[in-house]
């Protein structure tokens, strides 16, 4: 997993040197319709994740991004000493090009940092963070289709035995099965597809999307050896995954007792 810097012209590593383990940090997962925030720190070699807050977005405007970020961050920072000043962002694959945040999005993140008096220290794509999180929790390399559902977009990543075959972003409307099929068909170098689909987004309830995916005739349409099992990764775990991606770069390991 590679964590990219949000500061132009510096190393693509998240942080170049070890920080004080008791320092509090922030993680912010950015979606089209919501933002999810949490606090985290590395203490005694373990990544500890704090409270999680989900705040809805009204629009895609910069002012909205700043105000909703402020709302979510204020909730998870309340009572923390020292108050967190450094933040890592979790972003969709369509925000990133050649390992760097696209210029328009980079400017937005810089404005968030400036307006909220925060220091951006890095970013990770959400699919990378989720892959890392599940690999740590389950203790084996991942074999699955990861599906981030962000309003009218699907962000699809395919993993087999830990190998990442890449990610594609596919628009969809009501028929999520058809949209997902279109995205999967863009992976042309996979003979048989993983029979496990993991869906996630910035909402707490994905059961309706899960049922629509389950009802799709997958084995008739695509090369699945078995009808895929569909699982939901809660929004709280997604932003925790972003935080843990940052914490492991600081030398911490995942404390499974907190998950």
């Amino acid at each position: 997993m590679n964590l990219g810097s949000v500061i132009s012209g510096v190393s693509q590593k998240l942080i170049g040197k070890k920080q004080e383990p008791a320092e509090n940090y922030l993680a912010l997962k950015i979606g089209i319709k919501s933002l999810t925030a949490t606090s985290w720190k590395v203490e005694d070699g373990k990544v500890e994740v704090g409270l999680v807050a989900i705040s809805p977005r009204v629009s895609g405007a910069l002012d909205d991004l700043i105000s909703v970020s402020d709302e979510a961050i204020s909730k998870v920072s309340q009572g923390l000493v020292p108050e967190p000043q450094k933040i890592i962002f979790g972003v969709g694959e369509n925000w990133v090009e050649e390992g760097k945040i696209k210029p328009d999005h980079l400017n937005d993140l810089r404005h968030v940092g400036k307006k909220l008096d925060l220091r951006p220290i890095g970013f990770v794509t959400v699919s990378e963070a989720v892959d890392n999180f599940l690999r740590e929790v389950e203790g084996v390399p991942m074999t699955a289709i990861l599906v981030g559902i962000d309003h009218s977009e699907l962000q699809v990543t395919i993993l087999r035995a830990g190998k990442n075959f890449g990610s594609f972003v596919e628009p969809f409307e009501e028929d999520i099965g058809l949209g997902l099929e279109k995205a999967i068909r863009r992976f042309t170098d996979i003979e048989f597809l993983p029979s496990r689909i993991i869906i996630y987004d910035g909402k707490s309830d994905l059961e309706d999307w899960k049922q629509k995916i389950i009802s799709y005739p997958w084995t008739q349409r695509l090369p699945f050896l078995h009808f895929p099992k569909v699982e939901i990764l809660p929004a709280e775990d997604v932003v925790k995954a972003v935080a843990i991606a940052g914490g492991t770069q600081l030398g911490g390991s995942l404390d499974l007792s907190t998950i």
Side-chain angles (χ1 to χ4, degrees), residues 49-70:
V49 183
L51 297 175
V52 173
I54 302 173
S55 295
R57 297 185 67 179
V58 176
S59 72
L62 176 58
D63 287 347
D64 178 70
L65 175 62
I66 293 171
S67 63
V68 177
S69 297
D70 188 26

Side-chain angles (χ1 to χ4, degrees), residues 14-74:
L14 172 64
I15 298 174
K17 61 181 181 180
K18 299 284 186 177
Q19 304 293 319
E20 289 297 325
E23 184 174 1
N24 290 310
Y25 298 84
L26 296 165
L28 184 69
K29 186 261 184 185
I30 300 175
I32 295 174
K33 286 296 184 180
S34 65
L35 300 178
T36 313
T38 192
S39 63
W40 59 278
K41 62 183 177 180
V42 179
E43 193 160 31
D44 296 328
K46 299 292 184 180
V47 184
E48 298 182 8
V49 183
L51 297 175
V52 173
I54 302 173
S55 295
R57 297 185 67 179
V58 176
S59 72
L62 176 58
D63 287 347
D64 178 70
L65 175 62
I66 293 171
S67 63
V68 177
S69 297
D70 188 26
E71 176 186 346
I73 288 168
S74 295

Side-chain angles (χ1 to χ4, degrees), residues 74-182:
S74 295
K75 290 177 182 177
V76 301
S77 299
Q78 189 171 7
L80 292 181
V81 179
E83 185 176 349
Q85 298 293 319
K86 298 173 185 176
I87 185 168
I88 178 174
F89 297 103
V91 300
E93 284 74 11
N94 54 344
W95 276 47
V96 179
E97 190 172 55
E98 296 181 353
K100 297 181 180 180
I101 296 282
K102 294 178 181 178
D104 289 349
H105 296 307
L106 178 61
N107 288 333
D108 287 348
L109 297 185
R110 284 174 170 163
H111 280 297
V112 170
K114 183 177 181 180
K115 290 292 186 180
L116 303 185
D117 195 26
L118 296 170
R119 178 185 165 192
I121 57 173
F123 76 90
V124 62
T125 62
V126 176
S127 63
E128 286 182 296
V130 168
D131 175 21
N132 176 68
F133 174 78
L134 293 174
R135 187 170 62 246
E136 291 287 337
V137 170
E138 299 182 5
V140 295
M142 289 297 299
T143 296
I145 301 173
L146 305 181
V147 183
I149 306 171
D150 196 354
H151 187 45
S152 59
E153 289 183 351
L154 300 177
Q155 299 178 8
V156 181
T157 302
I158 295 184
L159 308 164
R160 181 175 287 282
K163 179 182 178 180
N164 189 320
F165 285 84
S167 300
F168 289 104
V169 178
E170 183 72 31
F172 82 103
E173 295 180 0
E174 291 298 319
D175 194 338
I176 191 172
L178 180 60
L180 182 53
E181 179 188 343
K182 289 180 178 179

